[in-house]
Every structure is written in C-alpha cells, then in structure tokens.
Amino acid sequence: MSDNITVAFERVIPIANLLAEIITYTRPGNYRFRTNHAVQYATWTETATQFEASGVHSIKTVGYRMRRLSDALEKADSAVDRGRNAMRQTLAVHDALRKLLRAIDRYREWVVLSGV
C-alpha cells in the first residue's frame, strides 16, 4: 500500500469522527456538512476521489462509499418536506454510513491478509 493512501486515511479519521457527531447529534435535514464544515468537506471529497482512483478494489470501494455518504447528507439536507421523502433520505444516510463501515472492515481484512 502506498504511503499516500496511509496519509489520506490519517487525514480523514478526524473528519469521520466529525461526521459521526453530525449524524448522531444533528436533526435530520440539518446536517449541512458541505456548508458548515467546508474545509473538512473538501478534504473528504478529495480523499474519496483519490481512493476511487486507486488500483486496489477495497480502497476504491471505501472511496466510493465515502462519496455516497456525503451525497446522502446533501440529499437529506435538500429534502424540503418533513414527510416521507425526508424520512427516506434519513434512512439513506444511515444506509450509506453502514455500507461505508462495511467497506472499511473489508479494507482492514485485506490489509491483514495481504500483510501490507
């Protein structure tokens, strides 16, 4: 595994903690990750793009899932009504988060198995 990937993972750990706080303690539809945390959002999306360009499938998957989580947060914020659409978008955020965590677990398994 390249040092760039390791450094990128280290950069996004604090952002992942921030996202955990945002999702846990913020009302659905008021996440505003892109606007309230612009620097972290830029780092998150840049890292996701870097991971998606990787030649390793498990790293690509983590990048894809990172992007899907930030997209789900955006869609939840733009859900105008507070009815079914808003609930659907909230569930999409939690689903994207669950899939990201699963992708990270698979990446960690790959690191252990490959001895990197």
Side-chain angles (χ1 to χ4, degrees), residues 19 26 107:
L19 283 171
T26 305
Y107 166 73

Side-chain angles (χ1 to χ4, degrees), residues 14 23 33-34 40 54 58 66 69 74 85 100 106-107 110:
I23 293 169
F33 177 49
R34 176 184 245 171
Q40 291 87 349
S54 172
S58 61
M66 287 172 64
L69 177 60
E74 288 290 315
N85 189 35
L100 174 59
R106 287 183 180 154
Y107 166 73
W110 175 80

Side-chain angles (χ1 to χ4, degrees), residues 18 22 26 30-41:
L18 172 67
I22 290 171
T26 305
N30 293 325
Y31 299 122
R32 296 187 184 101
F33 177 49
R34 176 184 245 171
T35 56
N36 291 351
H37 307 282
V39 173
Q40 291 87 349
Y41 176 81

